[in-house]
Amino acid sequence: MAKLPRLPVPAEREVVKAVCGLPPRLQRLLFGPPPVIDGQRLAPDINALLWLDRLVYEDDGVSGGADVAATRALRRYEARVVSARQPLPMARVESLSVGGAAGQLPARLYVPFADPGRGPLPLLVYFHGGGWVIGDLDTHDSPCRFLAAHAGVAVLSVDYRLAPEHPFPAAPEDAFVAFSWALDNAGGLGFDPTRIAVGGDSAGANLAAVTCLLARDAGAPAPAMQLLIYPVTETAAELPSRHLFDQGFLLTRRDMDFFEDHYLPPSVDRDDPRVSILKAEDLSGLPPAYLTTAGFDPLRDEGEAFARRLGEAGVGVALRRHPGLVHTFANLTAISRSSRAAMLEAAGALRMGLS
């Protein structure tokens, strides 16, 4: 629930950027020492951002108990607030339709500037976060541009079907078909069909990981790698971080319940690995992964448990926890120096994995 009226997007963006851009010492002086939980200290710029968030909202997260339409509208507004005044330039940004499980899906292709003699670019098929309920091509324009620009790869952002209009398993079915479409069409689009990765953040990272599992089980060509940014991997049981950070750090208990209740009808088995990939019996044979988590994120422990299970199954995996960050840092690169640093690492891992 809102406590103070929102400013117009340009004005609020300038306030947020100014506050988050202050020197860390001044941020500590103005907003107090960042909290320490579970041996981790919150980054000063993130502490300042949360202070601003509390001025505007009760501590009830993005859903705030609202209906789906209102929650989607709020997410679009907030994405504009934390984006750059001018989006990162691309050589080309193109709207496409790609194959989905029940028909064509909207998609957006980002092609970065590249050396003319470099040859065909690799491609990242990206699935946005938002709990399978909110989020779209616009809310995740910023991280897609960031990864394209800094990893030197083309990014195909896929607008898969959302719940509750299209509950599970619509989203993973769309994700797998969209990846298959990218495999079939990469050459014609001018990209290297042997270097196609999947990736995403939060629920989108869940879809990326599940796509790898579905490809393996179908005997289909696998992604070259998976880029997993604070993935959802377990909805049937709760690891400790879901309780440690369930309020006050952007993604709340109310949010998680809101998303999962809309995405998963009562008849769904929450142990189904297409939902809770951590419960998959066998993770061998999956593509190598770069998996990054945030220290102050309810999803931290399940993401790291999934990385450990990948390693135990013989899958090459690099796990990187950013202890001072919160969920959604992928969207905060224009306002938060610590989030930008984390995403630069992810972009570097993507560049190396597809080199």
Side-chain angles (χ1 to χ4, degrees):
M1 181 181 297
K3 294 166 67 176
L4 295 176
R6 302 302 298 246
L7 298 172
V9 167
E12 187 161 342
R13 178 190 292 130
E14 292 309 309
V15 171
V16 170
K17 188 173 179 63
V19 168
C20 293
L22 293 170
R25 182 175 296 181
L26 185 54
Q27 287 171 335
R28 294 186 187 96
L29 181 65
L30 291 174
F31 310 115
V36 177
I37 300 176
D38 200 27
Q40 308 166 128
R41 187 180 301 278
L42 193 66
D45 58 338
I46 298 298
N47 190 46
L49 177 65
L50 296 181
W51 183 88
L52 285 177
D53 189 67
R54 288 190 292 269
L55 281 183
V56 177
Y57 286 106
E58 302 289 353
D59 195 11
D60 51 10
V62 69
S63 64
D67 62 24
V68 169
T71 303
R72 288 172 180 166
L74 174 60
R75 182 67 190 90
R76 288 191 292 269
Y77 178 91
E78 292 182 335
R80 286 157 54 209
V81 167
V82 299
S83 65
R85 290 190 208 95
Q86 297 295 326
L88 282 173
M90 296 280 112
R92 187 169 90 252
V93 177
E94 182 179 346
S95 294
L96 297 176
S97 292
V98 304
Q104 295 296 103
L105 299 171
R108 188 176 294 164
L109 179 66
Y110 300 85
V111 182
F113 295 100
D115 252 338
R118 181 179 167 188
L121 288 174
L123 178 68
L124 170 68
V125 181
Y126 193 88
F127 306 110
H128 65 76
W132 310 280
V133 174
I134 64 174
D136 55 35
L137 299 179
D138 291 333
T139 62
H140 284 68
D141 180 77
S142 176
C144 289
R145 286 176 183 268
F146 190 94
L147 289 169
H150 294 285
V153 305
V155 175
L156 180 67
S157 180
V158 176
D159 207 11
Y160 55 90
R161 289 173 295 163
L162 298 177
E165 298 89 342
H166 305 283
F168 173 85
E173 290 176 350
D174 279 350
F176 177 65
V177 174
F179 167 69
S180 301
W181 183 96
L183 277 176
D184 293 341
N185 291 275
L189 292 170
F191 307 119
D192 185 345
T194 68
R195 295 188 293 158
I196 303 179
V198 290
D201 60 288
S202 194
N206 169 275
L207 297 178
V210 169
T211 293
C212 296
L213 190 69
L214 294 176
R216 184 203 66 184
D217 291 349
M225 70 170 288
Q226 43 187 327
L227 176 71
L228 308 178
I229 302 171
Y230 38 78
V232 183
T233 69
E234 172 65 278
T235 62
E238 296 194 342
L239 278 68
S241 63
R242 283 215 178 199
H243 299 281
L244 273 175
F245 309 109
D246 65 355
Q247 193 167 337
F249 300 101
L250 296 187
L251 180 66
T252 68
R253 161 69 56 188
R254 174 176 269 180
D255 291 334
M256 292 182 287
D257 291 345
F258 177 87
F259 295 140
E260 291 175 8
D261 289 347
H262 280 88
Y263 178 55
L264 302 172
S267 60
V268 170
D269 177 7
R270 293 196 176 203
D271 284 332
D272 188 320
R274 295 173 299 167
V275 176
S276 300
I277 193 168
L278 189 60
K279 292 289 178 64
E281 290 185 10
D282 178 16
L283 294 175
S284 64
L286 297 184
Y290 176 82
L291 193 154
T292 183
T293 62
F296 286 75
D297 182 357
L299 304 184
R300 182 196 69 186
D301 289 355
E302 63 198 69
E304 295 179 2
F306 183 59
R308 288 192 293 273
R309 282 214 55 213
L310 287 173
E312 291 164 0
V315 176
V317 58
L319 170 63
R320 174 70 159 104
R321 179 195 293 187
H322 295 281
L325 296 187
V326 293
H327 198 81
T328 76
F329 71 71
N331 292 81
L332 304 179
T333 56
I335 63 162
S336 161
R337 66 179 74 87
S338 55
S339 298
R340 178 180 174 82
M343 285 297 287
L344 283 172
E345 286 191 28
L350 181 61
R351 179 187 288 271
M352 181 174 293
L354 293 177
S355 64

